[in-house]
Amino acid sequence: MSVTEFTPEALGWLLVNFVGTTAGVEAAVFTSLDGLPLACTLTDETDRAHWAALTTSAFHTTSRLGALRGIAGPSRQCVTELGDGSLVMIMSAGEGLPPWKISAETADVTGCVLGVATSSGADPGVVAYAAQQFVNSIAPHLVIPARVAG
């Protein structure tokens, strides 16, 4: 895998555009697979950090549930309906490998996760389709350098 130049500012602008042009979407976040916010439409720094961590945690939990059922690989999407009828959709975004699959040969890149919050009246099919099209359109830019431990 090769790393395409990654600019968090550009990713943030694209994320704001996605939220602004997709009916029913109220907020969105891109996180690294280890839970750090890469770009987010929330303005409060604490909220950004919490949402990124929770988004990644839900993604990994769903992947582990799949593994318990004998399904290999990370989850593709996790959808949670909140008490007011709004949704949180979490999906794999970009190329790369989850942290537990990184080896010496692939340690230079990792993927990320997209979290999308909708209004209660949003059409889940429309939002999921738009989010997947969005991710597919910028996938080469979602390959990020992995951090070195230590």
Side-chain angles (χ1 to χ4, degrees):
M1 289 181 231
S2 65
V3 177
T4 303
E5 185 175 338
F6 177 78
T7 350
E9 294 78 22
L11 184 56
W13 181 84
L14 291 168
L15 200 58
V16 167
N17 187 55
F18 166 73
V19 170
T21 60
T22 307
V25 174
E26 294 182 337
V29 63
F30 272 116
T31 72
S32 63
L33 285 171
D34 57 359
L36 297 177
L38 301 172
C40 185
T41 60
L42 299 178
T43 55
D44 182 82
E45 196 62 37
T46 301
D47 289 346
R48 293 165 62 105
H50 285 151
W51 196 21
L54 291 168
T55 296
T56 305
S57 176
F59 179 77
H60 290 307
T61 298
T62 304
S63 294
R64 293 302 306 146
L65 289 169
L68 288 173
R69 294 197 52 236
I71 300 168
S75 62
R76 292 186 200 160
Q77 183 173 305
C78 170
V79 179
T80 302
E81 183 177 0
L82 303 177
D84 65 352
S86 63
L87 301 173
V88 175
M89 297 180 172
I90 301 166
M91 62 186 61
S92 176
E95 300 174 14
L97 297 170
W100 60 88
K101 297 238 180 186
I102 294 175
S103 67
E105 296 81 37
T106 61
D108 59 338
V109 295
T110 184
C112 58
V113 176
L114 171 65
V116 177
T118 75
S119 63
S120 60
D123 182 325
V126 169
V127 173
Y129 179 78
Q132 192 60 58
Q133 292 301 309
F134 173 54
V135 166
N136 290 343
S137 72
I138 63 172
H141 303 286
L142 299 178
V143 177
I144 58 175
R147 285 181 294 283
V148 178

